[in-house]
Amino acid sequence: MRELISNSYDAQASSIEIYPLLQYEGLIFFDDGTGMSEIKEFNEISPYKAFFSIGRTTKTRGKSIGYKCQGSKLCFASSKITLITRCSDEKNWRSISIDNPKTNLNIDYDISSKSDDTPWLTLEKLFNIPDNRTSPILQYLNQSWFNKKFVNGTMIILQWIEVEDYSSFYDPSPNFDKSYIRNYIRFNTRHGDMRILRPRTTGFPSSKAELFKHTPGYNDSCQLSIWTKDKLTKISSGYPYLEQPNNLEHLTIKKPKEVSRLSDGRFHDTNATTFEFQERTYCITLAIDGHRRALELYKELDRQGRQGRRSGIRLTDQRGTFICSEGVKICQYNELFDHSDLADYTILSSSKAQSHYILMINGSFQVVTDRNSLSEGGLKLMKNDNFIKKIKSFLDQFQRESEVFQQLITRLKQENQSFKIDQYISQINSLKENIIYRPRFQVRDIDHLQGRWLIEPSIGEEHWVGALYTMFSHLVPVDSQYAHFWLRPLTFSGTGIDSMAVEIQEKSLGQNVQKGLEYKYTFDERDEFNHPLIVTDQIVCWDMKIPKDGEQIKDSYDYFGSVALSEELDGIGYEITNIQSYTGEVSNGKIKVISLKKLLDKSFNCEWVTPPDKNSKRKKGKR
């Protein structure tokens, strides 16, 4: 359902209609979008052929949530799929039916559609003996409906979808408001776009709502309806943020510091903003609703111990911090507050704190194939220091302006005196448990390190990169051909410049021999360097991609330089040269950017081992 709705939005549909087929445990899905042309090609493939292909798509990465054309393949998990489509420049509809598509569809299968001037009959013939659940739908989708409504667009008919307990998920009756299908669409699909703020009712700033409207892919005009018994029932667009308190409710609301138990809070406040990062626009929303208020007003969501009485979607799964892509809520990400720059807000990652708010960060995030979690690239962005500073700026400003948010943070910390200790214990236990699965290495040509494993750094462990570099700078032979890449650190700091260093044979501490040294887990030329280039002599990363010669690198202080590849650094790194400011000030300095992993491998006799990850081990055990 999520994938089909996203595809409809990408096809610029103004109307989506969903007809659950309770008799046949399937559905009819229709949108009045552009239709699937079998002739016009985008990215060297037509939309129609892309629907049936694997990994081929007409979409452009970054402009839609899907770009691998794999989501639509979920439709093949059914006993029969029928596709009816029509583009605005076509006289007739086109249709195709495929039995057991998962089994029958292969590279030799003829997917060509047939011209169809009576698609209402094609639809009717799919259901030989319709009962009183199917007949009203077929009567509604008659010739008149096709001629008036289906001028262009796509209809997908699925029969016997491969899903356990079909009715629990797809049946919109008897209580439509509490049905799973309705609430899943509102909370987890493109139609429930988190950027649609409805400021008049929710209390979000109107100015921010206007900014959100100008972000790529924003659409609050698409109508979506579900068939319930004998009619179509509309579902409003936008994420279901709770409405701001009315005048009567205001009389009973207390601020966080005024309630005897924070869990009984009914307080409310909202804020939102946009920011630019690496030439892309990101949106943030923060909706604070005290735990008791959320319990009372999200009547359709299940509570602990009461599953089955409501929609089947749990309230606890809708609270806390989330990553969204193109408006669609992708996954929880309470790990956001593990970053050191957000130390003032670490308390928000606790389960008790999460019950009081929903924080959503939206952008063109890279997600994994099933789009239920972030890819490695997405995780890397969420740990980028400069990206985190944008989020911190939003939270800091809101805390200054909002008594509710300010008091909530203070009260949470007061009620969780042991929170930091528990968090440290949890983190260290996790590190102990998972360290055996991490990539490791040994150095064979250093006697006192033989047989001893060293763990490779991972994202966020810049200090470990620095510690390894410092240790091996004292162990590298002075006659090594790579000795001049090993500086000897004199200092080590978590703020400002990471290390002041000298050449390994240098004995003086004079200012003229000292060099500025920075440590990174990785370094991408597209990232903005968070220290001044003009005071940096060497950047040591664990590993990184070597950019192209001449590519530009900029810092956060209005300086930039050019990548220079050289034989000296071949296989190890590159230099940043021609450093200058935007105003034309020129620096004669050069910066070496070095991969510590590659330098270790060249300077010493190393053995590298990457164990199977923990999840693959468990899967093998289950088999």
Side-chain angles (χ1 to χ4, degrees):
M1 189 66 65
R2 182 182 66 172
E3 302 301 331
L4 290 175
I5 291 172
S6 288
N7 286 345
S8 296
Y9 271 82
D10 290 339
Q12 301 172 8
S14 62
S15 177
I16 299 171
E17 296 179 2
I18 301 167
Y19 303 82
L21 297 170
L22 303 181
Q23 180 184 355
Y24 298 89
E25 294 193 359
L27 62 90
I28 298 172
F29 185 96
F30 167 76
D31 72 56
D32 65 354
T34 55
M36 295 187 190
S37 174
E38 208 164 344
I39 300 172
K40 294 180 181 178
E41 292 189 350
F42 307 88
N43 296 336
E44 299 181 349
I45 191 170
S46 69
Y48 180 84
K49 290 180 181 177
F51 180 84
F52 290 101
S53 74
I54 295 292
R56 299 288 304 280
T57 180
T58 61
K59 300 177 183 178
T60 302
R61 184 170 183 165
K63 293 187 176 180
S64 56
I65 188 172
Y67 61 89
K68 295 182 179 178
C69 205
Q70 293 175 339
S72 59
K73 306 309 170 291
L74 298 170
C75 294
F76 301 157
S78 56
S79 294
K80 187 168 189 171
I81 178 174
T82 300
L83 177 70
I84 304 172
T85 189
R86 184 183 183 184
C87 299
S88 58
D89 58 353
E90 293 178 314
K91 180 180 178 181
N92 287 335
W93 297 266
R94 290 175 286 110
S95 64
I96 184 175
S97 285
I98 303 173
D99 291 319
N100 299 313
K102 275 177 65 175
T103 303
N104 293 330
L105 270 174
N106 56 53
I107 196 168
D108 298 319
Y109 194 94
D110 183 9
I111 60 170
S112 301
S113 62
K114 295 179 175 59
S115 179
D116 191 341
D117 58 2
T118 56
W120 50 90
L121 297 180
T122 301
L123 177 63
E124 189 176 318
K125 289 175 183 177
L126 294 173
F127 311 105
N128 294 328
I129 311 175
D131 64 13
N132 59 1
R133 294 171 294 176
T134 308
S135 293
I137 295 174
L138 297 178
Q139 291 169 11
Y140 183 79
L141 300 175
N142 55 25
Q143 180 177 353
S144 175
W145 181 90
F146 272 86
N147 286 326
K148 292 180 180 179
K149 185 76 175 182
F150 201 162
V151 177
N152 51 262
T154 299
M155 177 180 282
I156 298 171
I157 304 102
L158 304 177
Q159 294 168 263
W160 305 109
I161 297 172
E162 293 179 7
V163 60
E164 293 184 15
D165 198 8
Y166 168 89
S167 61
S168 294
F169 298 109
Y170 288 92
D171 189 352
S173 59
N175 189 335
F176 179 69
D177 286 346
K178 293 183 179 179
S179 66
Y180 183 91
I181 187 171
R182 171 185 180 267
N183 287 289
Y184 182 83
I185 289 170
R186 296 173 73 227
F187 283 94
N188 296 288
T189 74
R190 182 80 170 267
H191 194 65
D193 192 329
M194 58 78 68
R195 295 171 294 179
I196 302 174
L197 299 183
R198 305 184 303 280
R200 289 184 180 178
T201 58
T202 60
F204 278 105
S206 298
S207 59
K208 305 303 182 182
E210 285 299 316
L211 286 176
F212 281 22
K213 289 181 180 180
H214 298 289
T215 56
Y218 180 94
N219 182 352
D220 61 358
S221 60
C222 183
Q223 305 288 316
L224 187 149
S225 303
I226 297 180
W227 183 267
T228 55
K229 292 185 179 179
D230 57 356
K231 64 178 181 178
L232 284 169
T233 302
K234 180 183 173 184
I235 296 179
S236 298
S237 60
Y239 187 82
Y241 299 107
L242 291 179
E243 295 186 2
Q244 60 186 327
N246 55 35
N247 292 335
L248 185 61
E249 189 183 358
H250 260 301
L251 298 175
T252 62
I253 286 182
K254 296 180 180 179
K255 294 176 181 176
K257 71 176 183 180
E258 297 171 338
V259 292
S260 57
R261 293 193 312 167
L262 198 56
S263 59
D264 290 332
R266 291 183 174 85
F267 40 83
H268 169 89
D269 207 350
T270 55
N271 199 13
T273 195
T274 60
F275 67 85
E276 298 292 321
F277 188 76
Q278 295 180 349
E279 298 181 354
R280 291 187 175 179
T281 302
Y282 293 84
C283 303
I284 307 180
T285 62
L286 176 55
I288 298 173
D289 290 287
H291 177 64
R292 179 58 55 187
R293 186 170 199 266
L295 281 172
E296 292 172 349
L297 298 185
Y298 278 124
K299 297 178 180 179
E300 65 275 39
L301 300 182
D302 282 15
R303 279 66 165 145
Q304 188 173 1
R306 297 186 182 180
Q307 285 81 354
R309 300 184 186 184
R310 293 181 172 87
S311 64
I313 296 174
R314 297 190 307 174
L315 174 63
T316 53
D317 293 338
Q318 308 303 321
R319 312 297 285 164
T321 302
F322 293 84
I323 303 299
C324 307
S325 183
E326 307 305 328
V328 182
K329 186 151 57 65
I330 299 297
C331 60
Q332 279 191 321
Y333 192 72
N334 296 302
E335 299 92 327
L336 172 73
F337 300 106
D338 292 343
H339 196 284
S340 58
D341 284 354
L342 295 178
D344 291 342
Y345 302 99
T346 303
I347 192 66
L348 292 176
S349 64
S350 70
S351 58
K352 288 185 178 179
Q354 291 166 32
S355 68
H356 299 291
Y357 76 91
I358 180 165
L359 171 67
M360 292 199 273
I361 305 165
N362 179 77
S364 298
F365 286 100
Q366 296 177 26
V367 295
V368 297
T369 301
D370 67 3
R371 299 196 270 286
N372 287 320
S373 59
L374 290 174
S375 67
E376 186 176 342
L379 288 171
K380 179 184 173 184
L381 177 62
M382 289 305 302
K383 294 178 180 179
N384 182 290
D385 292 348
N386 293 315
F387 187 84
I388 293 297
K389 285 176 182 175
K390 301 281 189 179
I391 297 172
K392 183 179 186 300
S393 176
F394 165 75
L395 295 173
D396 287 348
Q397 182 179 356
F398 191 34
Q399 188 172 189
R400 289 192 297 269
E401 297 173 351
S402 169
E403 275 190 298
V404 169
F405 187 36
Q406 185 182 84
Q407 292 179 19
L408 175 62
I409 296 290
T410 301
R411 186 70 185 271
L412 285 168
K413 289 179 178 178
Q414 290 173 348
E415 293 191 2
N416 287 269
Q417 294 179 1
S418 62
F419 173 74
K420 288 187 177 180
I421 295 176
D422 291 342
Q423 188 182 47
Y424 274 117
I425 292 172
S426 175
Q427 287 177 343
I428 200 166
N429 287 339
S430 178
L431 283 170
K432 288 179 179 179
E433 177 187 351
N434 292 302
I435 210 163
I436 60 174
Y437 302 106
R438 289 181 56 173
R440 61 190 72 152
F441 67 100
Q442 288 185 4
V443 181
R444 294 172 174 170
D445 49 353
I446 298 178
D447 290 341
H448 54 281
L449 287 181
Q450 285 192 25
R452 291 171 169 82
W453 290 110
L454 294 163
I455 303 301
E456 290 190 26
S458 64
I459 295 173
E461 294 183 344
E462 289 80 7
H463 283 82
W464 183 221
V465 175
L468 286 172
Y469 182 82
T470 302
M471 179 175 74
F472 282 101
S473 71
H474 289 83
L475 297 174
V476 66
V478 293
D479 59 351
S480 167
Q481 69 179 100
Y482 300 101
H484 59 292
F485 296 127
W486 292 95
L487 301 178
R488 182 165 56 85
L490 302 174
T491 64
F492 202 91
S493 174
T495 59
I497 199 78
D498 288 340
S499 285
M500 296 308 300
V502 295
E503 302 284 348
I504 58 172
Q505 293 178 305
E506 181 63 54
K507 295 180 180 179
S508 170
L509 296 178
Q511 291 186 22
N512 61 322
V513 298
Q514 295 178 34
K515 298 186 177 184
L517 188 55
E518 282 295 323
Y519 308 115
K520 297 280 188 184
Y521 170 71
T522 189
F523 185 63
D524 192 310
E525 73 280 4
R526 295 169 296 180
D527 294 337
E528 191 174 75
F529 186 51
N530 60 340
H531 293 278
L533 290 171
I534 57 172
V535 300
T536 305
D537 294 286
Q538 190 159 297
I539 300 170
V540 178
C541 313
W542 178 243
D543 207 1
M544 78 279 189
K545 175 178 71 69
I546 304 297
K548 295 179 181 178
D549 194 59
E551 289 196 26
Q552 289 189 325
I553 292 174
K554 61 182 180 179
D555 66 18
S556 303
Y557 299 85
D558 293 335
Y559 279 84
F560 61 92
S562 301
V563 170
L565 304 182
S566 65
E567 291 185 11
E568 179 193 27
L569 286 162
D570 186 33
I572 299 175
Y574 58 92
E575 281 189 325
I576 304 173
T577 62
N578 300 322
I579 299 169
Q580 57 186 286
S581 70
Y582 283 97
T583 58
E585 298 169 348
V586 178
S587 169
N588 294 322
K590 295 181 179 180
I591 303 172
K592 285 185 173 65
V593 183
I594 290 174
S595 163
L596 178 56
K597 183 174 184 178
K598 291 182 172 67
L599 182 59
L600 281 168
D601 211 31
K602 298 237 182 228
S603 304
F604 301 95
N605 182 8
C606 298
E607 175 191 355
W608 305 90
V609 175
T610 301
D613 66 39
K614 181 168 56 176
N615 293 329
S616 65
K617 182 178 179 182
R618 285 178 177 173
K619 288 177 182 176
K620 289 178 181 178
K622 287 181 181 179
R623 294 190 186 116

